[in-house]
Amino acid sequence: EEQLLESGGGLVQPGGSLRLSCAASGFTFSNYVMSWVRQAPGKGLEWVSSITGSGDSAYYADSVKGRFTISRDNSKNTLFLQMNSLRAEDTAVYYCAKDISTGNTAWGQGTLVTVSS
Amino acid sequence: SYELTQPPSVSVSPGQTASITCSGDKLGEKYVCWYQQKPGQSPVLVIYQDKKRPPGIPERFSGSNSGNTATLTISGTQAMDEADYYCQAWDNSAGVFGTGTKVTVL
């Protein structure tokens, strides 16, 4: 069974940093594009970032470009999101997802990030 | 940046057909997928590549995409279909989600 388990969320002050992790199992991790998608409280889904299977290419939403960095460790089947210069508007549940646009997609349960003083 | 616009809400009676639109510039030239999300749960893919259903998704869910509009149709809507629905597409390697539609089964 394919599983994605996010961790690393929590409360952080504005301007602070946080690193999210997503542990994958049940599929060949290096074969798939992985993404982070977030959802602010009571709001819709927002794509944040994606990375190719090899890790060679990464893509970001304008809202996080220059502040967030996506990466992966294929030897440990783990996806990361380094979040710097956090703002109140980054408060959201962050989902890790595999291949979000194909029939092979899988999503984690999400981890909550709260940016507040 | 690219935008996908959906109606905020759609109401449907049980057993009737619900249609949810997703509008974007030249959307018909892109692949669209649709997600269902119930309160407190992760999104679930119900349609990908405009009209394909993942395993386990009921046949009452169907999709189409042409021109500037993609449509998710739920035929014979059931109470369990009450949820938020989001369209999704890619534009120049950037993911885009629609604004979301709340489907209420009255």
Side-chain angles (χ1 to χ4, degrees):
Chain A
E1 179 189 3
E2 297 181 350
Q3 286 194 332
L4 297 170
L5 184 60
E6 303 95 338
S7 61
L11 175 65
V12 61
Q13 292 188 341
S17 298
L18 212 56
R19 190 193 198 201
L20 304 184
S21 298
C22 172
S25 61
F27 63 97
T28 305
F29 183 67
S30 60
N31 285 356
Y32 293 95
V33 172
M34 297 296 296
S35 299
W36 290 97
V37 176
R38 69 184 181 184
Q39 187 169 36
K43 303 297 184 181
L45 300 174
E46 180 187 14
W47 173 80
V48 173
S49 180
S50 296
I51 187 169
T52 55
S54 63
D56 288 348
S57 297
Y59 308 93
Y60 299 93
D62 288 343
S63 58
V64 306
K65 202 171 294 182
R67 300 188 298 122
F68 290 11
T69 302
I70 191 172
S71 62
R72 63 193 299 161
D73 184 340
N74 286 344
S75 68
K76 296 182 179 179
N77 292 343
T78 304
L79 177 72
F80 302 100
L81 185 67
Q82 177 66 44
M83 303 186 295
N84 299 331
S85 302
L86 283 162
R87 307 165 180 167
E89 53 265 36
D90 295 319
T91 294
V93 172
Y94 284 74
Y95 294 101
C96 163
K98 158 184 171 276
D99 242 2
I100 63 172
S101 300
T102 76
N104 285 322
T105 192
W107 290 57
Q109 289 303 303
T111 186
L112 176 63
V113 172
T114 303
V115 184
S116 174
S117 55
Chain B
S1 59
Y2 195 77
E3 295 182 351
L4 294 174
T5 302
Q6 300 178 230
S9 62
V10 167
S11 296
V12 60
S13 299
Q16 298 304 301
T17 297
S19 295
I20 306 164
T21 57
C22 172
S23 299
D25 185 50
K26 298 180 181 179
L27 185 57
E29 298 178 7
K30 309 177 189 296
Y31 273 139
V32 173
C33 65
W34 289 90
Y35 280 91
Q36 175 194 71
Q37 188 181 33
K38 297 181 179 179
Q41 298 183 18
S42 300
V44 173
L45 185 73
V46 294
I47 292 289
Y48 68 101
Q49 291 182 9
D50 295 340
K51 56 185 179 182
K52 297 180 179 180
R53 276 189 313 276
I57 299 302
E59 291 184 7
R60 63 179 180 273
F61 289 90
S62 62
S64 63
N65 184 20
S66 179
N68 294 322
T69 304
T71 302
L72 173 69
T73 302
I74 311 173
S75 304
T77 307
Q78 300 183 8
M80 68 174 66
D81 301 329
E82 186 164 287
D84 295 325
Y85 291 83
Y86 298 90
C87 57
Q88 189 273 326
W90 292 91
D91 179 68
N92 293 329
S93 299
V96 183
F97 282 93
T99 50
T101 299
K102 181 176 182 60
V103 170
T104 302
V105 183
L106 299 172

